[in-house]
Amino acid sequence: VQLQASGGGLVQPGGSLRLSCAASGSIFRLNTMRWYRQAPGKERELVARITSSGSTRYADSVQGRFTISRDNAKNTVYLQMNSLKPEDTAVYYCNADISPTWSTSDNYWGQGTQVTVSS
């Protein structure tokens, strides 16, 4: 099982970006999917998560600006980021609980995608 993240880049303050993370390989079921971020010199933090039923939760710092969603048919999770601020600059990682078989579940990480918010 692999997670492939994409969509990062350089954007001006106030701008928007959409991150995608596609899961591939032997997947019986995608469970909770998450986006984390890690800024230079800081610990990795949870940005948002979405359960298999679509329940979402956000970090206070992104509430109202970011939206997490998923397309189960495509095994993909998205992070729509609006009203971006310089403090959103970080490497963003996707993370997912995936069941390769009906009886197992493991946690997987994507490779990270850089988001830079700067004028």
Side-chain angles (χ1 to χ4, degrees):
V1 176
Q2 290 186 329
L3 294 176
Q4 181 69 42
S6 62
L10 173 64
V11 64
Q12 292 187 342
S16 298
L17 279 176
R18 188 195 195 202
L19 305 183
S20 300
C21 178
S24 61
S26 177
I27 299 171
F28 176 76
R29 183 175 60 246
L30 279 179
N31 302 310
T32 298
M33 305 184 80
R34 309 170 186 87
W35 286 98
Y36 284 81
R37 68 185 180 187
Q38 187 166 21
K42 294 187 177 181
E43 293 186 354
R44 191 172 297 189
E45 64 171 345
L46 178 63
V47 175
R49 69 102 167 112
I50 183 168
T51 66
S52 57
S53 62
S55 176
T56 60
R57 181 168 290 183
Y58 300 90
D60 290 343
S61 58
V62 307
Q63 181 75 47
R65 300 188 297 121
F66 290 11
T67 302
I68 189 171
S69 61
R70 61 192 289 166
D71 184 335
N72 292 326
K74 296 182 178 180
N75 288 340
T76 300
V77 63
Y78 304 97
L79 186 67
Q80 177 67 44
M81 305 185 294
N82 299 328
S83 301
L84 282 161
K85 304 175 181 180
E87 51 264 43
D88 294 318
T89 296
V91 178
Y92 284 70
Y93 299 89
C94 60
N95 173 275
D97 297 326
I98 299 174
S99 295
T101 68
W102 69 272
S103 61
T104 61
S105 181
D106 293 304
N107 185 260
Y108 297 86
W109 288 91
Q111 85 285 9
T113 185
Q114 176 71 46
V115 172
T116 302
V117 185
S118 175
S119 55

